[in-house]
Amino acid sequence: MTVTAITPDAGEPARPPLHALARGLRTLLISGQHFRGRRAEELQLGSSDLEALGHLYHEGSLAPGRLSALMGVTSGTMTALLDRVEKAGFLRREPNPQDRRGRLIVLTPAGQHAMHWLYDQFEDVIRHALAGVPDLDVEQFHAVLELLAGSLDAGNHPHDPSGATTPRTPIHPL
């Protein structure tokens, strides 16, 4: 891999090129969080509410415990989130056909519509931003993003002594 040097900002000490790349990726992640927050406000939801809808959109119906695990929140926090988003009409709780006592969380048509709207907005922003990048190899750029996402996911899990890697679910932009 070839990494070209990047000139530091004024007053900044010279750093390795990967430091500048890491700083740019941190900025991208923060900008993505802000984007999600603004879209959530437009839907009169919280950012974590929108994150839950994103998991349901990509994974399909989920048990509350599984959704809690994906989001890294407690069952109490999840119950409050589900109550709030269900009241807003974006999801509903249904009986789990494989567990008489359990429930499944599913998107309503309004939830599906909201997620389509959100991803249309997201793609518009990306399309506009990349329009000024000549000769962009989108497939290669996608592969690099997936590689980085996989590396970040691997950093969130203990390493298996056998060297096996945990399969990664695709990244959800929002």
Side-chain angles (χ1 to χ4, degrees), residues 13 27-28 33 35 37 44 54-56 63 70 75 79 93 97 104-106 120 132 145 170 172:
T27 300
L28 175 64
Q33 290 170 343
F35 177 88
Q44 298 180 349
H55 284 295
L56 292 167
L70 287 170
S75 61
T79 298
R93 295 170 170 109
L104 288 176
I105 311 306
V106 298
D120 285 347
L145 290 175
H172 304 302

Side-chain angles (χ1 to χ4, degrees), residues 28-102:
L28 175 64
L29 292 170
I30 291 167
S31 295
Q33 290 170 343
H34 292 162
F35 177 88
R36 181 175 62 197
R38 286 189 302 276
R39 299 294 96 67
E41 286 176 11
E42 291 179 49
L43 294 169
Q44 298 180 349
L45 296 172
S47 187
S48 59
D49 302 343
L50 202 53
E51 179 184 351
L53 292 176
H55 284 295
L56 292 167
Y57 183 79
H58 289 281
E59 305 284 333
S61 58
L62 293 169
R66 176 68 180 134
L67 187 55
S68 294
L70 287 170
M71 294 181 62
V73 299
T74 65
S75 61
T77 298
M78 182 54 59
T79 298
L81 182 151
L82 294 175
D83 288 345
R84 190 172 54 245
V85 181
E86 185 173 36
K87 184 177 179 182
F90 294 109
L91 61 80
R92 68 178 174 269
R93 295 170 170 109
E94 294 184 347
N96 184 339
Q98 296 172 344
D99 178 0
R100 291 185 313 171
R101 297 176 299 159

Side-chain angles (χ1 to χ4, degrees), residues 87-152:
K87 184 177 179 182
F90 294 109
L91 61 80
R92 68 178 174 269
R93 295 170 170 109
E94 294 184 347
N96 184 339
Q98 296 172 344
D99 178 0
R100 291 185 313 171
R101 297 176 299 159
R103 309 292 275 168
L104 288 176
I105 311 306
V106 298
L107 286 179
T108 62
Q112 289 280 342
H113 180 75
M115 295 311 298
H116 287 291
W117 170 82
L118 175 68
Y119 288 118
D120 285 347
Q121 297 250 332
F122 190 70
E123 288 175 15
D124 286 347
V125 167
I126 292 170
R127 188 177 301 104
H128 178 74
L130 296 180
V133 180
D135 303 323
L136 175 67
D137 183 336
V138 175
E139 288 182 20
Q140 184 177 16
F141 186 59
H142 177 259
V144 169
L145 290 175
E146 286 292 326
L147 177 69
L148 291 170
S151 295
L152 289 173

Side-chain angles (χ1 to χ4, degrees), residues 153-167:
D153 280 348
N156 289 329
H157 305 291
H159 293 284
D160 184 330
S162 71
T165 58
T166 304

